[in-house]
Amino acid sequence: DINFDFNNYDWIWMPMINVALKIYIRLPHFITLDLVKVDDLKGFANLTYTGEKFSDISITNWQNATTTLISKDDQDDFYNLILVESKLEKMTLNITDLDLFQIIVGQVLAIGSVPINIHALIDILVGSILGSIELDGIPGSGSTTISR
């Protein structure tokens, strides 16, 4: 979920957002949370609306993350599904298409929320039995809504 922080005095030129980030990962069944746990993350994401890029966001500092085992895949007993969560507060959006962004803000103010797509590359710090391991450039994509 992405929420605008309208308390910023210059929100149209340097909008701030708060993000409840949720990443779902399928891992082979032999990799468990006892062996691997995502502790921190950072990265870069492009945000698009109706297929057009309007913004990007760069998370340059490591952000705390939690990892939870959601379920074991009952279909073939080969994958575990884990959830990695992080709260990102007061992150600055880099607006790349001001006209499209103004349309999005207008719709958020008028109807409450707007669906967007996210295409990201993330880096993660994984705590393991061998110590911390950094994995870089992991691609991901998804969709969410921007709301008030």
Side-chain angles (χ1 to χ4, degrees), residues 43-60:
F44 180 83
N46 289 316
L47 283 65
T48 61
Y49 175 68
T50 63
E52 299 295 322
K53 179 180 171 184
F54 70 90
S55 177
D56 56 51
I57 185 168
S58 182
I59 306 162
T60 56

Side-chain angles (χ1 to χ4, degrees), residues 33-132:
L33 291 184
D34 296 336
L35 298 174
V36 174
K37 182 178 74 148
V38 176
D39 294 322
D40 298 286
L41 57 84
K42 64 181 180 176
F44 180 83
N46 289 316
L47 283 65
T48 61
Y49 175 68
T50 63
E52 299 295 322
K53 179 180 171 184
F54 70 90
S55 177
D56 56 51
I57 185 168
S58 182
I59 306 162
T60 56
N61 297 322
W62 290 106
Q63 304 293 316
N64 290 334
T66 60
T67 307
T68 308
L69 177 65
I70 297 297
S71 68
K72 225 174 166 45
D73 188 345
D74 293 330
Q75 297 290 336
D76 57 16
D77 203 34
F78 189 68
Y79 292 102
N80 288 328
L81 183 64
I82 65 168
L83 171 63
V84 177
E85 296 180 280
S86 184
K87 292 209 179 275
L88 310 175
E89 296 184 353
K90 298 196 182 291
M91 304 301 295
T92 303
L93 282 178
N94 175 37
I95 303 304
T96 57
D97 186 332
L98 185 59
D99 292 336
L100 185 54
F101 180 67
Q102 288 174 334
I103 291 168
I104 293 167
V105 170
Q107 289 188 355
V108 167
L109 293 173
I111 60 175
S113 66
V114 172
I116 64 164
N117 291 311
I118 301 166
H119 305 281
L121 288 176
I122 63 167
D123 305 335
I124 58 174
L125 273 181
V126 178
S128 74
I129 59 175
L130 301 174
S132 291

